[in-house]
Amino acid sequence: MPTYLGDRVLAALGGASGAVIEENVERRQTWLIEPNAAAVQRFHGHPVVSVRGDDDSFLFVPGMTRDHTVWWRVAPTGDRLLTDAELLATAVVDARGRGRVS
């Protein structure tokens, strides 16, 4: 999702967020979630939030010490890797305001 929205989502999730990749070329943030999570299916085809992973897309995973272009905004750890998809979807809707997905 775009960084402006991702920053609000990240703030809402706080410590419940798993790892987050940030890139400054396209100004986007990426959360890692379980594959095909039902909670985020409503975002397929969304104009602002993208769901990827089952459409031959690929993801650049930065090294742990990388600090520019593409880096870990929230570094992965053994207990902080995947974000709960339901919590993420709720945070996205709330961050967009008034419960709207669009």
Side-chain angles (χ1 to χ4, degrees), residues 16-39:
S17 179
V20 179
I21 298 170
E22 186 161 339
E23 60 178 287
N24 63 3
V25 175
E26 291 188 32
R27 311 250 333 124
R28 298 192 64 78
Q29 293 173 349
T30 302
W31 273 259
L32 306 178
I33 60 171
E34 65 181 87
N36 302 311

Side-chain angles (χ1 to χ4, degrees), residues 19-97:
V20 179
I21 298 170
E22 186 161 339
E23 60 178 287
N24 63 3
V25 175
E26 291 188 32
R27 311 250 333 124
R28 298 192 64 78
Q29 293 173 349
T30 302
W31 273 259
L32 306 178
I33 60 171
E34 65 181 87
N36 302 311
V40 297
Q41 296 308 308
R42 63 181 139 179
F43 297 116
H44 277 286
H46 192 275
V48 177
V49 177
S50 300
V51 177
R52 300 283 191 253
D54 57 356
D55 61 355
D56 295 329
S57 60
F58 37 129
L59 172 69
F60 180 83
V61 177
M64 292 303 288
T65 60
R66 193 175 184 97
D67 63 0
H68 64 282
T69 310
V70 178
W71 68 95
W72 291 105
R73 173 74 179 265
V74 177
T77 64
D79 60 344
R80 196 171 186 181
L81 179 59
L82 299 181
T83 299
D84 178 276
E86 187 66 44
L87 291 176
L88 180 61
T90 299
V92 169
V93 170
D94 290 349
R96 296 215 14 106

